Amino acid sequence: MSASMQMARDPEQELSIRNENVASEETFRVEDLSVSFDGFRAVDNLCLSVAKNELRVIIGPNGAGKTTLLDMICGKTRPTEGKVIFDGEVVSGLPEYQIVKKGIGRKFQTPSVYEDLSVFENFEISMPDAQGVLDSLFFKRDEAIRERVSRAAAEVFLADQLHRKAGTLSHGQKQWLEIGMLLIQEPRLLLLDEPVAGMSPREREATAELLTRVANGRSVIVIEHDMDFVKRIAHKVTVLHQGRLLAEGSADEIQSNPKVIEVYLGH
Amino acid sequence: MKLTREATEYLTVGLLAAVLLAFTMTLDPFRLNNVGKYLSFGFVAIGIVLTWGYGGVLSLGQGIFFGLGGYMMAMFLKLEASAPELPDFMVWSGIEALPVWWEPFYSLPITLVLIHLIPAVGAYLFAYAIFRKRVSGVYFAIVTLALAMTMTVLIVGAQSTIGGANGITDFRTFLGMDIVDDASKMVLYVLQVLVLFTVMLAALKLTNSRLGKILIAIRDKEDRVRFSGYNTAHVKAAVFALAAVLSAMGGAFYSLQTGLIAPSLIGVVASVEMVIYAAVGGRLSVPGAVVGAILIGFLKSYLSETFPEYWLYFLGSIFIFVVLFMPKGLAGFFDRLRVGRALGGEAR
């Protein structure tokens, strides 16, 4: 175990990332993050940092702590120890809605959209303006709002679905809608939990392009299982195992890493 | 002619108000007064539509706020009725000086302000504390149920200062105006219908605003709303406070209409009945809630006169029927007719 930790923190390996998109500027990191549920350490002493413009993919077998990690970053779960630092500011411990306002957006594993509302309304509610009670009561839908919604919808391939009820969309379209609802908040760190689950190959292809595009100008963390998809989008891959960091590196390095093969890819 | 959902709602509210006003010409004073009594529960039911139908927050304690409004109005009326003496129940219990907390109710403006302010502030603080701890759904309902029970026990125990189990009664003037004679009952009824009409319009405005959509979103996927940057505990508590104010307004009208407020009107049974009004009328429909309150109120009067021992079974059966077969109540039934016709009679 200590060997793997060493490997993960090896500064030379950090430097070996050759992706030119990745700027050196670090916007996000977690320090010694741990959480235990009734004595079970779901995430154990984890360190991780993600740069601006970087698309990081987190992989790992079931129960590795991937979703729990995202839960702690966005404030859904409180870490037992350690810190989440975003743009030089500690955000762990803040209420969820304030973490969102700092610029961290979270997509859930199963698509979470408001099924009784139209696609347009789903986007509109997700916009960061008029979130107070009185603001939202006297909120007026103007041309600028329509414009923003149309742009967000076009970005996630839903331009012609605006007036449908979200509940009637296909599974893949719901995934897109939720990604779009995040994008309209203009987050600087985007956390996506299995964004292509349940998508057709064509939808996956489109999503890969979408994710590559949105990573420009912000940081993105994606949890994903499908290694082909991971290779397609990842600038860098982090492997978690039993709540700990097992390895970190480019997709190719990860695929040839004997430790990773042993616990995960080998099966 | 095809109307949007929103236009249909406004039209229904207008029609309902017109029908209620027309009652002044067709009903005898006794029946009109009864309708006025049912309408005071209409206020409560509108609040339940907002919190439960839209926000997904079920409160089984709306009687608390109905009681607060009703008691505060009754305190004002009782002071006027017994001036310059103390209220009769205090005299019987040997109380010699008016309790300090009765003092504000000598003034009508202060009474009216407190009727709105106390439920609003109390409900907001209570609900925010609970929602912030992520207590919701059936657990929230149980807490409100317990509160309703506590409140009746407290009032029943306070015979000397608030009238105990008998409640506050025996007042017949409002600012010197007799409120028992037919003419003033008529004025009171019309005033109540106008206030109710305004409340219905405001509630429709709310449900059709962005806030209304946010409430639906909170009801269906609260986590998603939270992670879109909303303080959902605040939004839910604010709507709960609004519903509390509406209940208190209803309570105040009830005291005026009936000349009586008592613990039995605000306890657990009464509070659950208020939810049934909204469920029968349609928990997503503002005018539906008012119609539900009138309908069940009328049935209750009729059945409790005809079958005094069994009418609660009828009420229970109606509730079960609605929950099983008409989840959106009467309003949902009519809405299906409307949509069905718009689709040229296609089955939906």
Side-chain angles (χ1 to χ4, degrees):
Chain A
M1 175 249 129
S2 63
S4 68
M5 294 293 286
Q6 225 171 3
M7 179 174 71
R9 286 189 194 166
D10 187 344
E12 277 183 33
Q13 197 188 350
E14 293 273 340
L15 289 175
S16 73
I17 307 147
R18 290 174 302 260
N19 200 314
E20 58 231 291
N21 281 337
V22 180
S24 59
E25 180 195 352
E26 167 202 85
T27 50
F28 168 77
R29 71 175 191 277
V30 302
E31 276 178 10
D32 305 318
L33 205 64
S34 301
V35 67
S36 32
F37 302 116
D38 298 325
F40 167 69
R41 288 178 91 82
V43 169
D44 194 2
N45 222 358
L46 190 73
C47 294
L48 180 80
S49 80
V50 181
K52 193 175 174 191
N53 295 324
E54 181 183 346
L55 198 161
R56 173 74 59 98
V57 177
I58 298 179
I59 62 170
N62 283 335
K66 303 176 301 270
T67 298
T68 311
L69 173 64
L70 292 201
D71 282 350
M72 282 193 283
I73 298 172
C74 71
K76 191 170 188 230
T77 302
R78 293 253 159 127
T80 324
E81 288 157 46
K83 287 187 271 198
V84 177
I85 298 163
F86 183 54
D87 268 349
E89 206 180 339
V90 177
V91 296
S92 39
L94 292 177
E96 296 97 327
Y97 68 92
Q98 281 179 20
I99 294 181
V100 175
K101 295 222 156 52
K102 301 274 180 208
I104 300 182
R106 164 78 189 270
K107 187 202 162 300
F108 295 98
Q109 199 167 349
T110 46
S112 285
V113 298
Y114 313 126
E115 309 223 329
D116 269 355
L117 300 178
S118 72
V119 172
F120 188 100
E121 288 165 339
N122 269 270
F123 278 116
E124 191 179 52
I125 286 186
S126 307
M127 287 196 307
D129 11 17
Q131 296 197 325
V133 170
L134 289 178
D135 293 351
S136 56
L137 182 57
F138 296 108
F139 175 81
K140 283 265 180 305
R141 183 184 289 175
D142 59 18
E143 212 33 61
I145 304 276
R146 283 176 214 279
E147 181 59 32
R148 270 166 74 192
V149 170
S150 310
R151 237 183 305 135
E155 193 158 19
V156 293
F157 325 110
L158 293 172
D160 49 357
Q161 310 286 337
L162 282 173
H163 299 290
R164 262 175 82 177
K165 255 195 178 181
T168 66
L169 295 175
S170 74
H171 191 83
Q173 286 174 320
K174 285 181 191 168
Q175 299 274 40
W176 281 339
L177 175 55
E178 196 181 358
I179 296 175
M181 286 157 68
L182 291 179
L183 290 178
I184 210 167
Q185 294 169 18
E186 297 175 357
R188 284 171 301 130
L189 171 63
L190 200 52
L191 310 169
L192 306 172
D193 202 341
E194 303 198 15
V196 291
M199 280 190 182
S200 68
R202 262 183 58 203
E203 288 174 328
R204 276 167 185 259
E205 190 57 30
T207 310
E209 278 164 27
L210 169 67
L211 293 185
T212 309
R213 202 164 58 230
V214 301
N216 195 7
R218 52 172 71 91
S219 316
V220 180
I221 300 178
V222 179
I223 294 178
E224 188 47 60
H225 284 292
D226 176 356
M227 241 358 240
D228 289 336
F229 189 76
V230 172
K231 278 167 79 176
R232 174 101 166 67
I233 61 167
H235 299 160
K236 198 172 163 189
V237 178
T238 296
V239 187
L240 295 188
H241 179 53
Q242 295 180 344
R244 298 197 178 115
L245 195 74
L246 185 68
E248 205 165 87
S250 71
D252 290 333
E253 284 165 357
I254 291 300
Q255 268 192 312
S256 53
N257 183 318
K259 283 247 161 213
V260 177
I261 293 169
E262 190 191 327
V263 305
Y264 184 47
L265 296 171
H267 310 300
Chain B
M1 189 176 65
K2 198 181 156 208
L3 288 172
T4 63
R5 186 192 168 80
E6 192 176 341
T8 314
E9 285 175 338
Y10 278 102
L11 200 68
T12 314
V13 163
L15 271 176
L16 181 58
V19 170
L20 291 174
L21 286 177
F23 280 167
T24 54
M25 288 173 273
T26 53
L27 293 184
D28 61 65
F30 172 74
R31 300 231 171 263
L32 194 66
N33 184 233
N34 266 349
V35 176
K37 192 170 82 181
Y38 309 149
L39 288 184
S40 39
F41 291 110
F43 286 89
V44 189
I46 293 173
I48 293 174
V49 163
L50 299 180
T51 51
W52 181 42
Y54 281 82
V57 175
L58 176 60
S59 162
L60 296 178
Q62 290 310 93
I64 299 167
F65 308 110
F66 186 83
L68 281 174
Y71 266 96
M72 284 190 263
M73 180 53 85
M75 284 160 80
F76 168 78
L77 296 169
K78 189 69 184 170
L79 283 178
E80 180 178 311
S82 44
E85 311 278 315
L86 287 182
D88 45 17
F89 57 84
M90 291 190 188
V91 177
W92 300 331
S93 307
I95 297 265
E96 281 166 11
L98 194 72
V100 189
W101 50 274
W102 272 75
E103 297 284 348
F105 299 98
Y106 274 118
S107 148
L108 179 64
I110 294 181
T111 303
L112 289 180
V113 168
L114 290 180
I115 284 175
H116 295 84
L117 197 64
I118 291 179
V121 174
Y124 180 85
L125 293 178
F126 160 75
Y128 189 72
I130 292 202
F131 293 145
R132 213 173 56 103
K133 291 283 172 215
R134 303 287 152 85
V135 174
S136 56
V138 67
Y139 302 100
F140 182 78
I142 290 170
V143 174
T144 54
L145 194 76
L147 267 188
M149 207 177 272
T150 313
M151 176 135 161
T152 42
V153 169
L154 283 177
I155 292 179
V156 169
Q159 167 67 40
S160 56
T161 51
I162 197 85
N166 300 328
I168 303 179
T169 183
D170 212 9
F171 38 78
R172 32 188 88 247
T173 59
F174 177 72
L175 297 176
M177 181 178 90
D178 196 322
I179 52 170
V180 193
D181 77 81
D182 292 348
S184 43
K185 289 218 155 176
M186 177 80 87
V187 173
L188 186 62
Y189 176 86
V190 172
L191 175 73
Q192 187 180 4
V193 170
L194 293 179
V195 174
L196 186 64
F197 179 58
T198 316
V199 165
M200 285 195 285
L201 290 182
L204 276 190
K205 156 87 181 139
L206 191 157
T207 56
N208 285 303
S209 74
R210 177 179 165 118
L211 182 57
K213 313 285 179 221
I214 293 168
L215 286 174
I216 293 177
I218 290 178
R219 181 192 70 199
D220 293 345
K221 289 266 169 19
E222 181 164 2
D223 254 349
R224 183 66 267 160
V225 185
R226 208 176 269 142
F227 288 106
S228 295
Y230 291 89
N231 182 357
T232 54
H234 167 66
V235 177
K236 289 200 292 184
V239 174
F240 185 71
L242 177 62
V245 170
L246 295 181
S247 299
M249 288 168 78
F253 273 115
Y254 186 91
S255 288
L256 279 167
Q257 291 279 4
T258 61
L260 164 78
I261 189 80
S264 61
L265 290 160
I266 69 178
V268 172
V269 176
S271 295
V272 172
E273 262 178 48
M274 292 170 190
V275 174
I276 298 180
Y277 299 147
V280 168
R283 62 199 173 105
L284 288 170
S285 167
V286 171
V290 176
V291 172
I294 300 173
L295 212 63
I296 298 294
F298 170 76
L299 268 180
K300 188 180 155 184
S301 302
Y302 172 76
L303 292 172
S304 61
E305 281 162 25
T306 324
F307 314 98
E309 285 167 37
Y310 302 112
W311 73 271
L312 267 176
Y313 294 106
F314 283 105
L315 191 66
S317 319
I318 291 172
F319 188 48
I320 293 171
F321 178 83
V322 166
V323 167
L324 285 181
F325 302 109
M326 297 170 72
K328 287 182 177 171
L330 289 172
F333 179 72
F334 284 111
D335 205 40
R336 264 211 306 261
L337 286 185
R338 182 181 68 87
V339 173
R341 208 175 300 146
L343 294 174
E346 263 174 70
R348 244 179 71 114

